[in-house]
């Protein structure tokens, strides 16, 4: 699977969702934890949101499945997540 970049909204400060990349939650619920979004093919594409206290996702983590991209956007908005994605020069 490829890395995908999605922005919610077009205003400055828009939420960025990156698929198949690790990020650290900079603000919002679960601030300080790591996050990774995995994409599952299908119609529609669904997503698994993984969180953990450390980058290797071995301890103190969780997972949430969302049924489509709109649900993924809603998930990020409700958690008020701002994520610093690794390798993203815009964060």
């Amino acid at each position: 699977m490829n890395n995908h970049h999605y922005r919610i909204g077009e205003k400055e400060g828009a939420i960025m969702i990156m698929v198949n990349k690790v990020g650290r939650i900079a603000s919002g619920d679960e601030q300080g934890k790591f996050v990774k979004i995995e994409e599952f093919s299908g119609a529609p594409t669904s997503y698994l949101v993984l969180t953990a206290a450390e980058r290797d996702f071995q301890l103190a983590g969780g997972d949430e499945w969302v049924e489509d991209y709109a649900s993924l956007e809603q998930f990020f908005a409700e958690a008020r997540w701002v994520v610093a994605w690794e390798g993203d020069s815009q964060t």
Side-chain angles (χ1 to χ4, degrees):
M1 289 184 214
N2 295 326
N3 292 332
H4 300 289
H5 303 71
Y6 302 104
R7 268 195 206 280
I8 300 172
E10 298 178 7
K11 298 177 183 174
E12 187 173 326
I15 298 169
M16 179 177 275
I17 299 174
M18 296 180 79
V19 177
N20 299 321
K21 300 251 333 185
V22 174
R24 189 145 201 182
I25 302 169
S27 66
D29 296 347
E30 301 187 82
Q31 181 177 352
K33 286 192 175 182
F34 290 88
V35 62
K36 182 176 181 180
I37 313 301
E38 294 183 354
E39 180 179 75
F40 295 100
S41 61
T45 301
S46 61
Y47 301 89
L48 183 64
V49 181
L50 302 169
T51 57
E54 40 63 57
R55 193 194 182 292
D56 294 331
F57 294 86
Q58 299 297 312
L59 301 171
D63 58 56
E64 296 284 337
W65 175 82
V66 293
E67 63 184 319
D68 55 24
Y69 186 71
S71 298
L72 183 61
E73 288 179 319
Q74 183 177 357
F75 184 94
F76 266 69
E78 287 177 2
R80 300 176 319 279
W81 279 358
V82 174
V83 177
W85 298 102
E86 293 180 358
D88 181 33
S89 62
Q90 297 179 10
T91 57

